[in-house]
Amino acid sequence: MPEQKTIAATGNIFVAEAMRQCAPDVMAAYPITPQTTIVEEYAKFVAQGKVHTEYVTVESEHSAMSACVGASAAGARVMTATSSQGLALMWEELHIASGMRLPIVMANANRALSAPINIHCDHSDVMGARDTGWVILFAETAQEAYDNTIVACRVAEDPDVLLPVMTCLDGFITTHSIDRGQTIDDETVKAFVGERKPDYALLDTANPVSHGSFAGLGGPFFEFKRSQRDAIDRSKPVVERVGAEWSKIVGRPFGLIETWGLEDADVAVVVIGSSAGNARHVARQLRAEGGTKAAVVKIRCFRPFPAAELAAALKGMKAVAVLDRAESFGAEGGPLFLETRSALYDLERRVPVVNYIYGLGGADVKLELMRRVYSDLSDIASGAAAAEGLRYLGAR
Amino acid sequence: MQQLTEIRWHARAGQGAVTAAKLVADTALELDQYIQAMPEYGPERMGAPIQAFTRLSAAPIEIHCNIEDPNVVVVLDESLLPIVDVARGLTADGTIIVNTCKTPEEIRRELGIDHGHVATVDASGISLATLKRDIPNTPMIGALAKVTGLFTLEQVADHLRKSFGKKFTAEVVDANVESVTRAYREVAAA
C-alpha cells in the first residue's frame, strides 16, 4: 500500500490538495464564502509553479462555468469550485456542461441561499441543482471530500460516463473545521486518474467537430436527452467500481450508500453529509444504554440516486426517518424524503417514513435533536405514534 | 487520554482563540490523537465575543456540532464573565481556566458554580511581560496543559517552535515559549 501522510487541515485544503494532485489543465473560478479557500489555495499552487494549470480569474460564477465549458470542450481537464449564490448563478451552464457531456469536476461548499442572507451550511444550493444532469457526490468529512474529488475525476472522464461531477462538502462544518485525515503521494493519484483522452476535442483541428449545436423541434433533442439519461444511469456502476478501486488503495470505505448498524436494527435514519456522524454517535449511545436499535444510512452518491441500494437497506425497518437539510417548498417533504419514499414504494411490506427538515442556514445539529429523532422513531415503531407530518427539527 | 476531550474557548475576536484552538489540535495530532478545531463563524468584528472549539480523542471523532458540554472551558477575557455564560454545560469534573489576576475562589464565586475545577492565570500580564503585547492565547495553552495534563510543557513548547518557527522571528518564538512556560508554572487551581 502506498505511503499516506496524516495531516490536520480544513476540508477546503483537502479538496485543493486533491485537485492539485489531479492536475487539471484549466481552473476558472470566482470566490464565494465558504468555498473561497479552495480556489485561493489553488491559486497559490499556480503562483508557486506547483501545477501547470491555466488559472482563469473571471468576473462571476456565470463566467466561471462558461470558461469551464469552453475549456472542457477544447479537450482540457477542468476543475472549479463554488457555493450557494455562485452555484445559482451557474444555473444555465450547469445544464450546458452536462448536455455537452463535459467531464468538469466542481466542488460545492454547501451553503444556504438568500433571502434572508446567510452564509452557513445547508443543502438548498445543491438540491436546486439536482436535476441538472450532474453526478453528485457528498462528503461527510474532510477526508471524504479529498477522496471524492479524486474519484470524481475518474468517473467524469470515464468513456461510459462523460458527465460533470459535483463533489459537495458542508459549508464551514467541513470546509472550515480542521480535521485529521490522510493524503497520498502525487504519483499514486496521477496513476489513478490518468490523463484525459477526449474523443472529440475542439482543439483537435485535424478532426474538426461542432459542440453544443442546434437540435431543433422534437426528434434529435429528445433522443439526445434520452442518451443523457442512459449516461447518468451508466455512471452508477462506474462510481461503484472507481470508488472500490480507490478504497483498495487508501484503505477507506467508499459506497453509493454507507450503512451502520443495519444487521439488527428496528429503525433507521437516512442522512447526507456531516450530520451522518452525529446520527451514528447517538445511535451508538442508545445501543449502549440498551435503548433503540437504530441504523444509519448515509447517502454518499445522490445522483445517480441509489434507490435499489436504499430499498435493500431499509427493507424490514419498522420506521425510517429521512433528514433533509433543504426544503422543497410546497412538496410533501424535502428532496431526500421524496426520493427515499419513492425508492421504498415497490417493497412488498410498507415501511413507515417520516421527514425532518433540519439545520437550515447552519442551525447547529445538536446531539439532543438527534436523540429526539430516535425517540420519535421508537414511538412510530411501537405503534404509539403515526409517521405523518413534516417535522422541523429544532426550529422554534 | 480519555476517549473524547471537548474544549470550548471563549474570547473576544482578535485575542487568538481560533489560533489557540488549532494549536492545541495540532499538538495533539503530533501525539497521534484524532482532532477537530473550529471557530463558530459569525459576523466577527474585533472585540466581539466569540467561541471556538477543540476536540481531542484517541479514537476517530465523528460528531460535527458545537460543544455544549465541555470538559474544559478556556476564557481568554475575563470581561466576558458577566455577559456570556461561559460555564454552560461544564461537565461535573470539568475544568474552567480564566485569564485573570483573581484567585480561583473569587472566579468560582463570580461564576456561581459549585462543581468542577476552576483555575486562574494572569495570561495577559505574562503576555505583556514576554511578548510586550496582550495576546493571551499561547500562555493559556500553557495553563491548559498544566491543569488538564493533556500535554507536557515540552510537547507544547516543541510544537510552538515548529509551528511558529515557520512564520515568526526567533525572538517572537522564544517569547511565546517563555509565556507558555510561565503560565504553566503560575496557573493556580482550586
Side-chain angles (χ1 to χ4, degrees), chain B residues 54-85:
Chain B
T54 308
R55 286 192 175 95
L56 313 174
S57 173
I61 302 165
E62 57 184 355
I63 47 178
H64 293 96
C65 51
N66 293 348
I67 294 174
E68 299 292 323
D69 305 306
N71 306 100
V72 183
V73 171
V74 186
V75 184
L76 271 65
D77 193 318
E78 68 172 320
S79 74
L80 293 171
L81 297 185
I83 56 171
V84 177
D85 183 6

Coordinates of all heavy atoms in Angstrom, one line a residue, chain B residues 54-85:
Chain B
T54 N -12.3 22.8 20.4 CA -11.3 21.8 20.0 C -11.8 20.5 20.6 O -12.2 20.4 21.7 CB -9.9 22.1 20.7 OG1 -9.5 23.4 20.3 CG2 -8.9 21.2 20.2
R55 N -11.7 19.4 19.8 CA -12.0 18.1 20.3 C -10.7 17.2 20.1 O -10.1 17.3 19.0 CB -13.1 17.4 19.5 CG -14.5 17.9 19.8 CD -15.6 17.0 19.2 NE -16.9 17.5 19.6 CZ -17.7 18.3 18.9 NH1 -17.3 18.7 17.7 NH2 -18.9 18.7 19.4
L56 N -10.4 16.5 21.1 CA -9.3 15.6 21.0 C -9.7 14.2 21.5 O -10.5 14.0 22.4 CB -8.2 16.0 22.0 CG -7.8 17.5 22.1 CD1 -6.8 17.7 23.2 CD2 -7.2 17.9 20.8
S57 N -9.2 13.2 20.8 CA -9.7 11.8 21.1 C -8.7 10.8 20.6 O -8.0 11.0 19.7 CB -11.0 11.5 20.5 OG -11.4 10.2 20.7
A58 N -8.6 9.7 21.4 CA -7.8 8.6 21.0 C -8.4 7.8 19.8 O -7.7 7.1 19.0 CB -7.6 7.6 22.1
A59 N -9.7 8.0 19.6 CA -10.4 7.3 18.5 C -11.0 8.4 17.5 O -11.1 9.6 17.9 CB -11.6 6.5 19.1
P60 N -11.3 8.0 16.3 CA -11.8 8.9 15.3 C -13.0 9.7 15.9 O -13.8 9.1 16.6 CB -12.2 8.1 14.1 CG -11.3 6.9 14.2 CD -11.1 6.6 15.7
I61 N -13.1 11.0 15.6 CA -14.2 11.8 16.0 C -15.3 11.9 14.9 O -14.9 12.3 13.8 CB -13.7 13.2 16.4 CG1 -12.6 13.1 17.5 CG2 -14.9 14.1 16.9 CD1 -11.8 14.4 17.7
E62 N -16.5 11.6 15.2 CA -17.5 11.6 14.1 C -18.6 12.7 14.3 O -19.4 12.9 13.4 CB -18.1 10.2 13.9 CG -18.8 9.7 15.2 CD -19.3 8.3 14.9 OE1 -19.2 7.7 13.8 OE2 -19.8 7.7 15.9
I63 N -18.6 13.3 15.4 CA -19.7 14.3 15.6 C -19.2 15.7 15.0 O -18.1 16.0 15.1 CB -20.1 14.5 17.1 CG1 -18.9 14.6 18.0 CG2 -21.0 13.3 17.5 CD1 -19.3 14.8 19.5
H64 N -20.2 16.4 14.4 CA -20.0 17.7 13.9 C -21.0 18.7 14.4 O -22.1 18.8 13.8 CB -20.0 17.7 12.4 CG -18.9 16.9 11.8 ND1 -19.0 15.6 11.4 CD2 -17.6 17.2 11.5 CE1 -17.8 15.1 10.9 NE2 -17.0 16.1 11.0
C65 N -20.7 19.3 15.6 CA -21.6 20.2 16.1 C -20.8 21.0 17.2 O -19.7 20.7 17.5 CB -22.9 19.6 16.8 SG -22.5 18.3 17.9
N66 N -21.4 22.1 17.6 CA -20.8 22.9 18.7 C -20.6 22.1 19.9 O -21.3 21.1 20.1 CB -21.6 24.2 19.0 CG -21.6 25.1 17.8 OD1 -20.9 24.9 16.8 ND2 -22.5 26.1 17.8
I67 N -19.8 22.5 20.8 CA -19.6 21.8 22.1 C -20.5 22.4 23.1 O -20.4 23.5 23.5 CB -18.1 21.8 22.5 CG1 -17.3 21.0 21.5 CG2 -17.9 21.3 23.9 CD1 -15.8 21.1 21.7
E68 N -21.4 21.6 23.6 CA -22.5 22.0 24.6 C -22.0 21.6 26.0 O -22.4 22.3 26.9 CB -23.8 21.4 24.2 CG -24.4 21.7 22.9 CD -24.8 23.2 22.8 OE1 -25.3 23.7 23.8 OE2 -24.6 23.8 21.7
D69 N -21.4 20.5 26.1 CA -21.0 20.0 27.5 C -19.5 19.8 27.5 O -18.9 18.7 27.5 CB -21.7 18.7 27.8 CG -23.2 18.8 27.6 OD1 -23.8 19.7 28.3 OD2 -23.8 18.0 26.8
P70 N -18.7 20.9 27.6 CA -17.3 20.8 27.6 C -16.6 20.2 28.8 O -17.2 20.4 29.9 CB -16.8 22.3 27.4 CG -17.9 23.1 28.1 CD -19.2 22.3 27.8
N71 N -15.5 19.5 28.6 CA -14.7 19.0 29.7 C -13.8 20.1 30.2 O -13.4 20.2 31.3 CB -13.8 17.8 29.2 CG -14.6 16.7 28.6 OD1 -14.6 16.6 27.4 ND2 -15.2 15.9 29.4
V72 N -13.5 21.0 29.3 CA -12.6 22.1 29.6 C -13.2 23.4 28.9 O -13.6 23.4 27.8 CB -11.2 21.9 29.0 CG1 -10.2 23.0 29.5 CG2 -10.6 20.6 29.5
V73 N -13.2 24.5 29.7 CA -13.5 25.8 29.2 C -12.3 26.7 29.4 O -11.8 26.8 30.5 CB -14.8 26.4 29.9 CG1 -15.0 27.8 29.4 CG2 -16.0 25.5 29.6
V74 N -11.9 27.4 28.3 CA -10.8 28.4 28.5 C -11.4 29.8 28.1 O -12.0 30.0 27.1 CB -9.7 28.0 27.5 CG1 -8.5 29.0 27.7 CG2 -9.3 26.6 27.6
V75 N -11.2 30.7 29.1 CA -11.7 32.0 28.9 C -10.5 33.0 28.8 O -9.8 33.2 29.7 CB -12.6 32.5 30.1 CG1 -13.2 33.8 29.8 CG2 -13.7 31.4 30.3
L76 N -10.4 33.6 27.6 CA -9.2 34.4 27.3 C -9.5 35.9 27.8 O -8.5 36.6 27.9 CB -8.9 34.5 25.8 CG -7.9 33.4 25.4 CD1 -8.5 32.0 25.5 CD2 -7.5 33.6 23.9
D77 N -10.7 36.2 28.1 CA -11.0 37.6 28.5 C -12.0 37.6 29.6 O -13.2 37.2 29.4 CB -11.6 38.4 27.3 CG -11.6 39.8 27.5 OD1 -12.0 40.3 28.6 OD2 -11.2 40.6 26.6
E78 N -11.6 38.0 30.8 CA -12.5 37.9 32.0 C -13.7 38.9 31.9 O -14.6 38.8 32.6 CB -11.7 38.1 33.3 CG -11.2 39.5 33.5 CD -10.6 39.6 34.9 OE1 -11.2 39.1 35.9 OE2 -9.5 40.2 35.1
S79 N -13.6 39.9 31.0 CA -14.7 40.8 30.9 C -15.9 40.1 30.3 O -17.0 40.7 30.2 CB -14.3 42.1 30.0 OG -14.2 41.7 28.7
L80 N -15.7 38.9 29.8 CA -16.9 38.1 29.2 C -17.7 37.5 30.3 O -18.9 37.1 30.1 CB -16.3 37.0 28.3 CG -15.7 37.4 27.0 CD1 -15.0 36.2 26.3 CD2 -16.7 38.1 26.1
L81 N -17.1 37.3 31.5 CA -17.8 36.6 32.6 C -19.2 37.1 32.9 O -20.1 36.3 33.1 CB -16.9 36.5 33.9 CG -15.6 35.8 33.7 CD1 -14.9 35.7 35.1 CD2 -15.8 34.4 33.1
P82 N -19.4 38.5 33.0 CA -20.8 38.9 33.3 C -21.7 38.8 32.1 O -23.0 38.9 32.3 CB -20.6 40.4 33.7 CG -19.1 40.7 33.7 CD -18.5 39.6 32.9
I83 N -21.2 38.7 30.9 CA -22.1 38.7 29.7 C -22.3 37.4 28.9 O -23.2 37.3 28.2 CB -21.6 39.8 28.7 CG1 -20.2 39.6 28.3 CG2 -21.8 41.2 29.3 CD1 -19.8 40.6 27.1
V84 N -21.4 36.5 29.2 CA -21.5 35.2 28.5 C -21.5 34.1 29.6 O -20.7 34.1 30.5 CB -20.3 34.9 27.5 CG1 -20.4 33.6 26.9 CG2 -20.3 36.0 26.4
D85 N -22.4 33.1 29.4 CA -22.5 32.0 30.4 C -21.4 31.0 30.0 O -21.7 30.0 29.4 CB -23.9 31.4 30.4 CG -24.0 30.3 31.4 OD1 -23.1 30.1 32.2 OD2 -25.1 29.6 31.4

